[in-house]
Amino acid sequence: QVQLVESGGGLVQPGGSLRLSCAASGRFFRINTMGWYRQAPGKERELVATITSFASTTYADAVKGRFSISRDNVKNTVYLQMNSLKPEDTAVYYCSAERVWGSLGASDYWGQGTQVTVSS
């Protein structure tokens, strides 16, 4: 079993910054892709950013130029630096680990979510 533990959410004013972290633990050999998704009230979960084990990144258009995703493969941790935050960034942010390889093959996992609220 693999656990994803997120931290770093909270309340911030518009224009502010937050840094989210997500650490993966358990029995596995490799995680292909780690990423962040978000879900606002009344909306579907959407992609924010992903990063592969080779550091190839993908960003949603809404966050390009403001958010930056990074990864520490030794610590099995993914980070999301969020700058110039807007009220529309308010959502529950979920960490994802895609194609986590263990002794029985590969599976996908989600974190429990962390609330990010952007408000004055």
Side-chain angles (χ1 to χ4, degrees):
Q1 189 68 14
V2 175
Q3 295 80 39
L4 301 178
V5 179
E6 300 138 332
S7 61
L11 173 64
V12 63
Q13 292 186 344
S17 298
L18 280 176
R19 188 190 194 212
L20 305 182
S21 300
C22 172
S25 62
R27 293 175 176 255
F28 56 89
F29 306 126
R30 184 180 77 250
I31 303 175
N32 281 14
T33 301
M34 300 187 78
W36 293 93
Y37 291 72
R38 68 186 181 186
Q39 187 167 18
K43 296 187 177 181
E44 293 187 353
R45 190 174 298 188
E46 63 178 7
L47 168 74
V48 176
T50 61
I51 183 168
T52 70
S53 57
F54 298 103
S56 176
T57 59
T58 301
Y59 293 94
D61 289 342
V63 306
K64 283 181 181 177
R66 300 188 298 121
F67 291 11
S68 177
I69 190 169
S70 60
R71 177 173 173 172
D72 185 327
N73 288 329
V74 174
K75 295 181 179 179
N76 294 309
T77 299
V78 63
Y79 306 95
L80 185 69
Q81 178 66 43
M82 304 185 293
N83 299 326
S84 302
L85 282 160
K86 304 176 181 180
E88 50 263 45
D89 294 318
T90 296
V92 177
Y93 284 70
Y94 295 92
C95 175
S96 70
E98 301 169 25
R99 306 302 289 168
V100 181
W101 288 92
S103 60
L104 299 179
S107 299
D108 300 339
Y109 296 90
W110 290 96
Q112 80 283 359
T114 185
Q115 177 70 46
V116 171
T117 302
V118 184
S119 175
S120 54

